[in-house]
Amino acid sequence: MDVEGAFSVVGSCGKFQKFLVAVFFLTNISSGMQIVMMVIVGATPNLDVDTEKNLTTIVTEWNLYNEQWIVDLMSSLFMAGYAVGVLLFGQISDLVGRKWTFTLNYILLLLTGVWSSFCTNWKMFAAARTIVGFFVGASGHIMFALMVENIGSEYWAITGMSMQGFFSIGVMLLALFGRFLQNWRHICLTCSTIPMILVPILIFIVPESSRWLYHVGKIEKAEKVLQYIANKNGKHNVVVRLGCEDENNSSVKAENLRKYSFIDLFRICKLALYALCSFYIWFACSFVYYGLTFDAATLSPNIYIATLLSGVIEIPSIFISFIMMRHRWFGRKGTLILLFVLSGSASMSLVFADGLQSGNLLIIQTALGLVNKLAVSGVFSVLYIYMAEIFPTQLRLVAIGGSSMFARVGAIISPFVPLLAPVASYLPYAIFGLVAVLGAVLNLHLPETLHRTVPSMRDFEKKDGECEDSNSANNVLVNASESCVFTSQEVDSLLVR
């Protein structure tokens, strides 16, 4: 049997695999806390709020009251380090394996987080945050691959979307730590030490990816991992015997992959259109999401409540987007367009609400801000599945790799947008709104993929440029779990957040 067939024997998602998934979900809480940490650690306390009068941040300690650009620079440096970590260690995990690459990076993430709490000046702290971002990017994507490659592929989509909810829980926990600890050093230390309780489990209990071992030809080790999973699931009578991958199929697949490059995305007009639209849509989603996240203080005068609301609103967005994208009325395309329009409308409404009375403005600003965050979080939830279904297998890695890099660019520059508020208070909202609406417009040029086959290069190379009939009886739902082993680029697209 092959490794996919083995999961039907040992269990696609048995009790032990559920335990492993829960452990990885908990590690994602760390990512949420670290990515959003500057919202509280870099905040300027509102002295009109009683709970913030004793709050110590890097702004109060290093007198950065008139240097907001330094705080925003730290957020950008974090995201730049994140991008480098993804690129470097994603490739390394493809070569040497998932478990120890992830475990090492996770430990280093926590240790550098501890180090950041002892920094003595803002330049040292900026360097520490860059390194923390590097290890967050390096560990988070490998973690997802390690998690899903030891469960049945039918659980990949729901597991991936559910995991995003724990990122949001991390944001909520950060708000609670800020409220009760009241000191940026203690916040950094707490967010980096509590997750260390998971390290022994990662070292001694979590196995290597069985799919990766099988993929690289380590059949015996893959069998041992699958046997270990079977025993932990209570299936002690199961004996796992794997066959080698079909060499002919593998060679054909490798040959097909070698024939295509980034340039081939622009060789065919329709593919070029899809690629350019994808690049911008990823950029827009990341730009608006992180812009709203780092500017969460606008949701409420109380920074703790604002951060908490920013995390809470993401939970229902996951479920709403999951239901919408599977419904024939919306599909993937319709869901993305509606959510982008909703996000853009909420932002533009804030532009026109700027002249209202202060009391009314606060209520309206909070409501529209939450709607905006809900919408763009939903876009993130749908986007990874949708884009994996648009491009042909031969060019999927190239396309989503390029798209994810544009997303990184959006995340890096988004923290600076709120700096435009002194010029005109409505300007940041106008920019976010225009970027989101343009994303909806460009999405009109992409095809619907619900209940349709993933296209091949032959579909795009036809003289008339049209893909197969969407009403064909042979059309089936294909999602991001099509391949057995996630490469670093595929994981990057699934976890671009």
Side-chain angles (χ1 to χ4, degrees), residues 317-333:
S317 77
I318 295 172
F319 294 100
I320 292 172
S321 59
F322 184 73
I323 293 172
M324 288 178 63
M325 76 175 190
R326 293 163 61 91
H327 197 284
R328 61 185 178 86
W329 289 0
F330 305 103
R332 275 74 157 134
K333 179 178 179 178

Side-chain angles (χ1 to χ4, degrees), residues 21-65:
V21 167
V23 170
F24 290 124
F25 280 176
L26 292 176
T27 64
N28 201 40
I29 292 177
S30 300
S31 297
M33 290 190 292
Q34 293 293 343
I35 290 176
V36 187
M37 185 173 290
M38 289 303 297
V39 173
I40 290 182
V41 168
T44 300
N46 183 351
L47 299 182
D48 293 330
V49 178
D50 291 338
T51 54
E52 293 186 38
K53 290 181 179 180
N54 296 321
L55 175 63
T56 301
T57 68
I58 63 171
V59 174
T60 62
E61 181 165 332
W62 294 323
N63 194 26
L64 301 178
Y65 291 101

Side-chain angles (χ1 to χ4, degrees), residues 25 154-163 322 384:
F25 280 176
E154 64 269 29
Y155 291 95
W156 287 3
I158 185 64
T159 301
M161 296 194 74
S162 299
M163 188 183 66
F322 184 73
Y384 77 86

Side-chain angles (χ1 to χ4, degrees), residues 480-497:
S481 63
E482 180 189 1
S483 59
C484 285
V485 180
F486 279 92
T487 65
S488 60
Q489 294 97 329
E490 286 176 307
V491 172
D492 192 28
S493 73
L494 294 174
L495 282 177
V496 69
R497 181 180 301 187

Side-chain angles (χ1 to χ4, degrees), residues 139-360:
S139 62
H141 292 63
I142 304 169
M143 174 270 291
F144 181 78
L146 180 57
M147 176 180 69
V148 299
E149 288 175 6
N150 276 329
I151 62 177
S153 60
E154 64 269 29
Y155 291 95
W156 287 3
I158 185 64
T159 301
M161 296 194 74
S162 299
M163 188 183 66
Q164 297 177 46
F166 284 80
F167 178 97
S168 306
I169 292 175
V171 176
M172 291 183 271
L173 285 176
L174 175 65
L176 294 177
F177 289 154
R179 168 62 180 85
F180 292 105
L181 297 177
Q182 296 280 301
N183 185 292
W184 74 268
R185 295 183 184 275
H186 298 162
I187 295 170
C188 290
L189 194 61
T190 301
C191 291
S192 301
T193 52
I194 291 180
M196 287 183 180
I197 61 177
L198 298 174
V199 172
I201 298 175
L202 298 174
I203 295 175
F204 299 109
I205 299 178
V206 173
E208 178 59 273
S209 164
S210 57
R211 294 178 189 273
W212 178 82
L213 291 169
Y214 181 73
H215 181 69
V216 298
K218 298 181 179 181
I219 307 300
E220 291 184 5
K221 291 184 178 181
E223 290 175 344
K224 289 181 180 179
V225 170
L226 290 166
Q227 194 71 57
Y228 172 70
I229 293 174
N231 292 337
K232 291 293 185 179
N233 281 339
K235 298 184 177 183
H236 301 286
N237 296 325
V238 170
V239 178
V240 179
R241 290 291 180 267
L242 298 175
C244 294
E245 288 187 293
D246 189 303
E247 295 181 358
N248 293 329
N249 288 342
S250 297
S251 62
V252 171
K253 188 180 295 184
E255 180 182 355
N256 287 338
L257 288 174
R258 285 195 300 269
K259 288 195 301 182
Y260 298 96
S261 67
F262 186 80
I263 301 299
D264 289 295
L265 280 174
F266 303 94
R267 184 169 58 85
I268 301 173
C269 291
K270 181 168 285 190
L271 260 180
L273 175 63
Y274 290 178
L276 292 174
C277 290
S278 176
F279 293 165
Y280 178 82
I281 289 170
W282 278 108
F283 166 85
C285 182
S286 184
F287 177 80
V288 177
Y289 176 84
Y290 282 109
L292 295 175
T293 299
F294 293 138
D295 198 34
T298 59
L299 293 176
S300 170
N302 188 316
I303 188 63
Y304 312 120
I305 294 177
T307 306
L308 184 67
L309 290 174
S310 179
V312 168
I313 199 63
E314 293 189 16
I315 303 296
S317 77
I318 295 172
F319 294 100
I320 292 172
S321 59
F322 184 73
I323 293 172
M324 288 178 63
M325 76 175 190
R326 293 163 61 91
H327 197 284
R328 61 185 178 86
W329 289 0
F330 305 103
R332 275 74 157 134
K333 179 178 179 178
T335 300
L336 277 186
I337 292 174
L338 286 174
L339 291 175
F340 261 135
V341 169
L342 182 60
S343 174
S345 299
S347 291
M348 297 307 292
S349 296
L350 285 167
V351 173
F352 296 106
D354 192 56
L356 295 177
Q357 296 295 326
S358 59
N360 293 331

Side-chain angles (χ1 to χ4, degrees), residues 323-466:
I323 293 172
M324 288 178 63
M325 76 175 190
R326 293 163 61 91
H327 197 284
R328 61 185 178 86
W329 289 0
F330 305 103
R332 275 74 157 134
K333 179 178 179 178
T335 300
L336 277 186
I337 292 174
L338 286 174
L339 291 175
F340 261 135
V341 169
L342 182 60
S343 174
S345 299
S347 291
M348 297 307 292
S349 296
L350 285 167
V351 173
F352 296 106
D354 192 56
L356 295 177
Q357 296 295 326
S358 59
N360 293 331
L361 177 61
L362 179 60
I363 297 173
I364 294 173
Q365 190 175 46
T366 300
L368 291 175
L370 290 175
V371 170
N372 203 345
K373 188 67 183 297
L374 181 145
V376 75
S377 298
V379 172
F380 251 133
S381 299
V382 178
L383 197 56
Y384 77 86
I385 293 178
Y386 183 41
M387 292 304 168
E389 297 172 348
I390 286 177
F391 295 97
T393 301
Q394 297 92 331
L395 282 171
R396 184 176 300 121
L397 301 186
V398 175
I400 60 182
S403 299
S404 65
M405 288 309 301
F406 276 86
R408 305 298 173 213
V409 174
I412 290 171
I413 66 176
S414 63
F416 293 102
V417 176
L419 290 177
L420 298 174
V423 178
S425 59
Y426 60 82
L427 197 53
Y429 302 124
I431 292 174
F432 290 139
L434 291 174
V435 168
V437 170
L438 183 56
V441 172
L442 291 181
N443 208 102
L444 293 171
H445 298 286
L446 298 178
E448 177 57 73
T449 61
L450 180 64
H451 302 312
R452 300 186 183 186
T453 56
V454 171
S456 67
M457 283 301 297
R458 290 191 302 273
D459 296 321
F460 287 98
E461 290 170 346
K462 289 178 181 180
K463 290 183 178 179
D464 59 2
E466 294 294 327

